[in-house]
């Protein structure tokens, strides 16, 4: 029997709302005990005290907006932990049930597993296109990914989402943790390092969180611009691994799904959204050739560029 692992949860927040409150309440009811919950909140005035009053296991650390960094903020929170497992979540990811943590740590019975991430289910009000995207990226079958899967899975080998992902702390520290200057995508960058170092990443379909977004076309452009910037900045991870083919497969299968659901009139919207995503991605890949003015117009994270020497 595997020794009982101590789990610490880390949640960055910014203007948290009802979903965050539901997240905390569900974490407190988990079948597997959580040792500590560390919240790193950006802008103290936007964090109502009722979120944590009376919860002795919750630590809240406030930072300024200009000090937030996707990788650095999470890594600094990780340095405060002494648990065996570091579980990172976002403020809008609500556990589907009380078994999230219990299921998510099961793969760590295998010593080669360095990380495990949960399945994301669509929230109420999620659009049909986004609903299928959730199912495409987070299917019903669990699997373990390793270096030998790169030829078959391509960039999906590195896929790991900090919306809800757990890491073995010993290996996390050994590999240097998350990058301290990242515009976005700190999870896949680190997952790539884990895979290249010979470790395994587990996708755990039995561990479920409710999380989805109905992004506007502009937001899709900006999000994919930032995604491509992160890939361009880390050729040691992403060079030679194409992701466009995976995007094409998603578009084709989503169109088939819309027809199956007898809603083919949504296909033009799918094509438009996909075009915005692709244009954002292509611009981000070549961001070093763009003016600062264009970059600030294209990005979803302008504060990142304010400190960037470019």
């Amino acid at each position: 029997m595997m020794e009982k692992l101590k789990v610490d949860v880390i949640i960055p927040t910014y203007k948290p709302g009802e979903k965050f409150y539901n997240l905390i309440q569900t974490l407190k009811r988990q079948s597997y005990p959580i040792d500590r919950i560390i919240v790193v909140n950006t802008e103290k005035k936007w964090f109502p005290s009722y979120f944590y009053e009376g919860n002795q296991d919750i630590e809240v650390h406030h930072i300024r907006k200009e000090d937030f960094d996707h990788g650095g903020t999470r890594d600094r929170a990780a340095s405060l932990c002494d648990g065996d497992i570091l579980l990172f979540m976002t403020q809008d990811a609500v556990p589907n049930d009380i078994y999230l943590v219990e299921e998510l740590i099961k793969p760590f019975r295998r010593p080669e597993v360095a990380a495990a991430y949960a399945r994301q289910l669509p929230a109420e009000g999620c659009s049909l296109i986004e609903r299928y995207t959730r199912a495409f990226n987070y299917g019903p079958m669990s699997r373990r990914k390793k270096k030998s899967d790169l030829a078959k899975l391509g960039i999906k080998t590195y896929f790991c989402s900090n919306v809800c992902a757990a890491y073995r702390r010993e290996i996390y520290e050994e590999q240097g943790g998350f990058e301290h200057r990242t515009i976005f995508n700190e999870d896949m960058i680190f997952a790539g390092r884990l895979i290249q170092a010979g470790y395994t990443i587990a996708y755990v379909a039995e561990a479920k969180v409710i999380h989805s977004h109905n992004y506007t076309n502009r937001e899709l452009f900006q999000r994919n611009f930032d995604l491509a910037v992160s890939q361009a900045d880390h050729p040691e991870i992403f060079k030679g691994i194409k992701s466009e083919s995976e995007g094409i497969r998603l578009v084709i299968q989503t169109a088939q799904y819309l027809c199956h659901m007898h809603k083919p009139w949504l296909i033009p919207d799918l094509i438009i959204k996909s075009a915005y995503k692709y244009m954002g991605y292509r611009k981000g890949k070549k961001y070093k050739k763009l003016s600062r003015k264009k970059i600030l117009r294209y990005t979803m994270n302008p504060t990142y560029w304010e400190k960037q020497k470019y």
Side-chain angles (χ1 to χ4, degrees):
M1 180 179 293
M2 182 179 70
E3 181 182 352
K4 200 165 187 66
L5 298 173
K6 190 165 71 169
V7 178
D8 290 336
V9 179
I10 296 169
I11 311 170
T13 61
Y14 177 62
K15 296 184 180 181
E18 199 63 29
K19 287 183 180 178
F20 175 70
Y21 179 78
N22 293 336
L23 161 60
I24 293 298
Q25 297 308 307
T26 312
L27 286 179
K28 288 164 60 179
R29 299 195 302 269
Q30 288 294 297
S31 61
Y32 192 97
I34 294 169
D35 192 61
R36 298 162 69 194
I37 299 176
I38 296 179
V39 176
V40 183
N41 177 64
T42 303
E43 302 291 1
K44 185 175 182 179
K45 62 182 180 180
W46 297 109
F47 197 87
S49 59
Y50 77 84
F51 282 147
Y52 61 96
E53 282 180 344
N55 295 311
Q56 301 300 318
D57 297 329
I58 299 179
E59 301 174 28
V60 182
H61 302 265
H62 297 286
I63 62 173
R64 299 177 303 169
K65 186 176 181 179
E66 56 266 32
D67 293 332
F68 175 80
D69 178 83
H70 282 279
T73 298
R74 286 176 169 88
D75 188 60
R76 283 187 283 272
S79 70
L80 303 175
C81 299
D82 60 2
D84 303 295
I85 303 295
L86 304 174
L87 172 53
F88 293 88
M89 299 187 72
T90 55
Q91 66 185 48
D92 58 348
V94 181
N96 186 60
D97 52 43
I98 64 171
Y99 304 107
L100 171 69
V101 178
E102 180 180 336
E103 294 293 343
L104 198 56
I105 67 167
K106 284 181 179 179
F108 291 101
R109 293 170 180 167
R110 294 174 174 264
E112 71 273 15
V113 172
Y117 65 102
R119 184 182 184 185
Q120 296 182 30
L121 302 175
E124 186 178 348
C126 180
S127 71
L128 200 60
I129 293 174
E130 175 62 16
R131 188 173 292 273
Y132 186 78
T133 300
R134 293 292 101 184
F136 181 87
N137 289 325
Y138 304 95
M141 301 295 293
S142 297
R143 70 167 300 154
R144 291 188 298 274
K145 300 178 293 183
K146 51 189 177 181
K147 196 171 185 178
S148 59
D149 291 314
L150 279 168
K152 180 181 179 181
L153 298 179
I155 199 165
K156 289 201 82 170
T157 311
Y158 297 156
F159 193 77
C160 182
S161 174
N162 273 347
V163 164
C164 183
Y167 302 84
R168 198 186 299 272
R169 184 171 63 89
E170 183 180 7
I171 296 176
Y172 176 87
E173 293 176 350
E174 168 200 301
Q175 293 298 313
F178 299 130
E179 287 281 321
H180 275 222
R181 283 295 296 157
T182 51
I183 187 170
F184 183 51
N185 211 30
E186 80 291 334
D187 37 23
M188 281 188 69
I189 294 168
F190 185 66
R193 291 204 177 102
L194 291 176
I195 291 291
Q196 291 181 3
Y199 292 109
T200 297
I201 295 172
Y203 166 60
V204 189
E206 296 79 15
K208 305 167 190 173
V209 293
I210 300 170
H211 177 265
S212 59
H213 293 282
N214 289 325
Y215 287 121
T216 65
N217 291 337
R218 177 177 173 77
E219 288 170 337
L220 289 172
F221 179 99
Q222 292 174 319
R223 182 175 176 83
N224 281 272
F225 176 84
D226 290 350
L227 173 67
V229 167
S230 74
Q231 292 185 9
D233 282 346
H234 291 278
E236 77 281 4
I237 302 294
F238 299 105
K239 187 177 180 180
I241 300 179
K242 293 184 178 181
S243 59
E244 287 92 338
S245 57
E246 191 67 14
I248 293 170
R249 190 166 73 91
L250 172 60
V251 174
I252 293 172
Q253 291 191 14
T254 305
Q256 292 172 340
Y257 170 73
L258 293 175
C259 290
H260 177 74
M261 297 299 291
H262 307 292
K263 295 192 176 182
W265 59 85
L266 291 177
I267 292 179
D269 187 41
L270 166 67
I271 294 172
I272 292 170
K273 289 184 182 300
S274 300
Y276 271 90
K277 289 163 70 173
Y278 181 71
M279 287 188 295
Y281 184 81
R282 295 303 299 169
K283 292 289 187 183
K285 277 286 191 178
K286 300 177 181 180
Y287 83 92
K288 292 180 181 179
K289 296 181 179 180
L290 300 175
S291 67
R292 187 175 184 85
K293 183 177 179 180
K294 285 186 176 181
I295 288 174
L296 292 176
R297 189 164 74 242
Y298 294 161
T299 185
M300 190 177 267
N301 297 282
T303 53
Y304 170 81
W305 298 98
E306 290 173 5
K307 294 183 178 180
Q308 194 77 351
K309 294 181 179 179
Y310 174 68

